[in-house]
Amino acid sequence: MRINKLKYLFSVAALMLASCESLLDEKPTNEWSDGYAWSVASFAEGVLYNAYSAMPSRPDSYDNNFLDAATDNALTNVYGSNVYKLSMGGMTISNNPIGNWSVCYKQLQYINSFLENGLTEATVYKKEDPTMNEMYKQRLKGEAYFLRAYWGFKLLQMYGGKTDDGQALGYPMFMHFITEEQAADYDNITRSTYEECAEQIMSDCDVAYECLPASYTGDDEILGKKQLGRATQSAALALKSTVALYAASPAYQDNSVIVLQEMGKFNVVDSEAYKQKWERAAIAADETLKLSEFSAFYPLKAANLADTPVDAPKEFLLFSFFKSFGFEQRHFAPYYWGMANNIPSQNLVDAFPMQNGYPIDRKESGYDKNNPYAGRDKRFYLNIYAHGLKYGNNGLPVDISEGGKDSKTFSQYASRSGYYLAKFMSKDEDMLNPVAKVNVKHYYPIMRRTEVWLNYAEAANVAWGPTGKGEGCTYTAYQVIKMIREQSGGITNDAYLDEVVNNQGKEGLRTLIQNERRIEFAFENQRYFDMRRWLLPLNESVKGVSVVNEANGLVFNYSELEERRYNDIRYYYSPIPYEECLKNPNLKNNLGWK
């Protein structure tokens, strides 16, 4: 049963959980006694499944935008959106345009309530078969621990950070349902350390792994194919590897390990402690890669995302799907009746190497400035529609030149960067035809296998270098990146990769891996958080292109379109919500937020 279906199940249970304004005041209240309510299996399941239903169901879930539009990857044409406000430096201590504090705690309350009440002898899910009932509870227990880990990570990802005195802190952890009285006991509510939060989330992932099935196959009622989309063992270990990766990242180390100097610059104070964090992350990813499901690599394809078959692609560990034309309505080019809400940047375009593996600024790449979109990494064409490339399966070539069908002279909604989004989009360019609009099935991968591969490569490189590996580990970072570039990008020439490894060592490969993550997960809402955990410069201006038809051919002119107003190191971290700090002085805020 896939996540989007879970959103409509057990709505009665959701109604029976009344919410209060305070993040910790979520309390199940209803006219039934607690004992009777939890004896109703559908109610118990409904409480847990609220934590599924709150997961994003589509990639442009940030106010109909991608979070990439708040980075150097993209732009939004929706100037009133939260993502635009964020990109303009609109995050303040009293307003986080993408804040999820209350949402996360609400889900954690649901989950903790289920763990305390929904797995007791009073709740029977399969009355006719005690063995099946225990199997059902085992799976639900695994799902509950996975979901607690997932929502805990979402809190840590958003609000984890360093304080003014150099501590790396996470969020206030609660491993049980919080009553109103406990929520008001501010003396006992403080932010746990970043490491404590990470350890707890990883521990929950371990419990989830022990309880969950490896996969959902066959016709079994509890573990069969109709349960596809729920958490599995591989999803639990994959999440653990991501949490370990974040916990190793430079942005989340105490000053005793790493000192942040200024935007884009930091100093490692304790190299051994820093290395140990990366070793832990590499081992967690390696543990995942040893699962049978990772015996093959599955590169992402356009057909995995839209116009898809019935079954979900093997690349996806956790996913949702939706069937509509609304996504294309928001992001198609205006010529095909779309609004082009989000558009790729020139910065992202320049990040894709050539098919021979060299960056476009290297002479060996063969890059032709008069034909800039030929011979690029295959992922370029998965993500981007550029001038001269065919739109969809049967559409006309993109034309952004003066007077062209995809230029500003054609529509006020046309791309201002000179590019249009291809990723996640249907290849039926006529689907928005007002005469006969067509609904298309889309998949949204919440977790992908490739993320685990890149988690391992990043961690192993820092821990052991490009060609080293830990005891018992299967791969080197070099081997993994070589495989991804070949399978995903179509790059079979390793000359540039070898040059980086041989001449620049782990620092050079680290930069290359960062770029691999950028192009592999473009428009999957990861770039915003990756840049922050890496402590990369955040204020690079976003660029675009214009095309001029001249007698001797096309001329491509590049210009800066929009500043990214993250002009202070405080933007590496989100502020703890002001109202929470106002209520509870024990909540230390992140660096620079007062």
Side-chain angles (χ1 to χ4, degrees):
M1 188 178 295
R2 295 172 175 85
I3 287 171
N4 72 315
K5 291 184 180 179
L6 296 174
K7 294 187 176 189
Y8 304 101
L9 293 177
F10 313 114
S11 58
V12 173
L15 291 173
M16 292 162 64
L17 291 167
S19 62
C20 300
E21 288 188 7
S22 173
L23 74 96
L24 296 177
D25 287 345
E26 301 293 339
K27 182 180 181 181
T29 58
N30 53 75
E31 297 178 359
W32 300 347
S33 68
D34 286 347
Y36 179 77
W38 286 103
S39 71
V40 180
S42 59
F43 169 79
E45 285 186 279
V47 172
L48 179 62
Y49 291 155
N50 274 286
Y52 268 124
S53 68
M55 288 182 178
S57 60
R58 50 189 172 86
D60 62 341
S61 59
Y62 290 86
D63 199 13
N64 290 334
N65 286 270
F66 297 84
L67 192 52
D68 286 54
T71 75
D72 52 1
N73 268 6
L75 298 156
T76 177
N77 284 328
V78 186
Y79 297 113
S81 67
N82 286 328
V83 165
Y84 183 75
K85 294 173 186 176
L86 183 66
S87 71
M88 291 293 103
M91 181 180 287
T92 69
I93 192 170
S94 58
N95 180 33
N96 180 351
I98 58 170
N100 61 357
W101 182 272
S102 295
V103 170
C104 292
Y105 273 111
K106 183 177 182 180
Q107 308 318 313
L108 291 174
Q109 283 283 76
Y110 286 138
I111 296 161
N112 284 331
S113 182
F114 174 82
L115 284 170
E116 291 171 12
N117 299 284
L119 298 173
T120 68
E121 292 182 0
T123 309
V124 180
Y125 298 94
K126 295 295 176 183
K127 295 180 180 180
E128 69 284 359
D129 190 328
T131 301
M132 288 185 67
N133 184 59
E134 289 306 310
M135 288 175 61
Y136 207 101
K137 284 187 176 180
Q138 179 83 345
R139 194 200 74 202
L140 290 177
K141 178 182 177 181
E143 290 183 80
Y145 275 92
F146 172 83
L147 289 166
R148 190 165 73 176
Y150 173 87
W151 287 107
F153 172 61
K154 288 302 169 184
L155 268 176
L156 192 62
Q157 185 183 48
M158 182 66 71
Y159 296 103
K162 295 181 79 158
T163 60
D164 287 337
D165 59 3
Q167 294 182 82
L169 298 183
Y171 56 92
M173 283 196 301
F174 301 98
M175 297 299 106
H176 58 88
F177 182 83
I178 303 300
T179 65
E180 291 181 6
E181 293 76 15
Q182 291 168 332
D185 184 12
Y186 299 131
D187 289 340
N188 291 313
I189 299 176
T190 59
R191 294 174 69 186
S192 300
T193 68
Y194 196 101
E195 178 63 19
E196 288 169 343
C197 291
E199 287 280 3
Q200 179 58 54
I201 295 169
M202 290 188 286
S203 176
D204 280 352
C205 289
D206 287 335
V207 176
Y209 173 80
E210 293 298 326
C211 298
L212 290 169
S215 61
Y216 297 99
T217 58
D219 300 322
D220 184 85
E221 183 180 352
I222 299 173
L223 305 177
K225 199 171 183 180
K226 70 177 183 179
Q227 308 299 343
L228 277 171
R230 298 182 189 272
T232 61
Q233 287 184 329
S234 55
L237 289 189
L239 178 57
K240 178 182 177 181
S241 81
T242 297
V243 174
L245 188 81
Y246 269 68
S249 298
Y252 307 123
Q253 309 304 315
D254 290 335
N255 274 6
S256 60
V257 179
I258 279 182
V259 174
L260 174 56
Q261 298 168 317
E262 58 184 83
M263 188 168 288
K265 293 184 179 181
F266 62 90
N267 182 45
V268 178
V269 178
D270 188 338
S271 58
E272 184 57 33
Y274 188 49
K275 179 183 177 182
Q276 287 175 3
K277 292 285 189 72
W278 287 107
E279 288 177 341
R280 180 180 65 178
I283 291 169
D286 178 74
E287 180 183 11
T288 315
L289 295 178
K290 283 185 167 68
L291 297 175
S292 60
E293 293 185 48
F294 286 84
S295 59
F297 182 84
Y298 301 99
L300 189 66
K301 300 176 182 177
N304 297 151
L305 302 171
D307 313 306
T308 58
V310 175
D311 291 334
K314 293 181 179 180
E315 160 70 351
F316 300 167
L317 293 170
L318 191 69
F319 61 89
S320 182
F321 71 79
F322 57 99
K323 190 173 184 180
S324 73
F325 56 75
F327 185 81
E328 281 72 18
Q329 205 165 42
R330 291 189 292 274
H331 304 296
F332 256 15
Y335 184 82
Y336 300 101
W337 302 284
M339 300 292 288
N341 277 8
N342 282 189
I343 48 180
S345 67
Q346 185 65 49
N347 313 55
L348 177 60
V349 168
D350 291 345
F352 289 92
M354 297 296 287
Q355 192 83 133
N356 65 6
Y358 281 93
I360 63 171
D361 60 356
R362 288 287 298 270
K363 181 179 179 180
E364 298 92 332
S365 71
Y367 174 75
D368 182 355
K369 66 178 183 179
N370 297 314
N371 190 17
Y373 313 123
R376 304 292 286 271
D377 182 304
K378 288 195 304 185
R379 289 168 289 189
F380 176 90
Y381 309 104
L382 173 69
N383 283 275
I384 295 166
Y385 286 125
H387 184 83
L389 300 181
K390 186 172 71 172
Y391 200 94
N393 286 330
N394 299 298
L396 299 171
V398 175
D399 185 359
I400 66 162
S401 64
E402 184 72 20
K405 68 177 182 62
D406 300 302
S407 69
K408 281 289 187 181
T409 53
F410 174 82
S411 171
Q412 62 176 321
Y413 301 112
S415 171
R416 56 194 172 111
S417 71
Y419 301 100
Y420 288 95
L421 179 65
K423 196 169 187 177
F424 293 106
M425 307 283 270
S426 171
K427 296 303 179 185
D428 180 1
E429 71 287 339
D430 202 40
M431 68 172 294
L432 296 181
N433 189 323
V435 176
K437 292 182 180 179
V438 178
N439 284 323
V440 168
K441 187 176 182 180
H442 305 74
Y443 275 105
Y444 173 46
I446 298 172
M447 296 174 64
R448 287 172 52 194
R449 284 179 170 79
T450 301
E451 184 172 357
V452 182
W453 289 103
L454 281 168
N455 288 352
Y456 178 79
E458 181 180 345
N461 177 59
V462 180
W464 307 305
T467 57
K469 58 184 179 182
E471 183 178 354
C473 291
T474 309
Y475 305 96
T476 66
Y478 171 86
Q479 289 172 324
V480 170
I481 293 303
K482 176 180 176 177
M483 177 189 66
I484 292 174
R485 282 162 65 87
E486 179 178 348
Q487 296 294 321
S488 291
I491 297 172
T492 57
N493 184 343
D494 299 321
Y496 177 71
L497 177 60
D498 292 342
E499 176 188 318
V500 168
V501 169
N502 294 330
N503 296 343
Q504 301 175 43
K506 66 167 62 175
E507 290 304 316
L509 187 59
R510 182 169 185 264
T511 300
L512 192 150
I513 290 171
Q514 289 173 345
N515 194 66
E516 284 294 313
R517 284 187 71 97
R518 179 181 191 176
I519 61 181
E520 182 68 38
F521 301 128
F523 299 99
E524 296 183 36
N525 303 311
Q526 295 212 38
R527 175 81 175 156
Y528 179 85
F529 298 108
D530 275 347
M531 292 184 76
R532 281 154 178 76
R533 69 180 180 85
W534 288 329
L535 297 176
L536 294 181
L538 303 176
N539 53 0
E540 181 181 348
S541 295
V542 182
K543 302 173 184 177
V545 66
S546 61
V547 177
V548 179
N549 283 298
E550 294 191 352
N552 294 329
L554 299 176
V555 175
F556 295 83
N557 297 314
Y558 304 98
S559 61
E560 293 185 356
L561 299 176
E562 191 171 278
E563 295 181 12
R564 284 287 173 262
R565 297 177 183 173
Y566 307 119
N567 53 8
D568 192 280
I569 58 175
R570 67 180 179 179
Y571 289 109
Y572 284 127
Y573 312 109
S574 298
I576 304 302
Y578 175 71
E579 61 272 19
E580 299 301 329
C581 294
L582 197 63
K583 287 186 302 184
N584 183 2
N586 289 322
L587 293 181
K588 283 187 178 181
N589 219 323
N590 283 328
L591 179 67
W593 298 105
K594 296 184 182 297

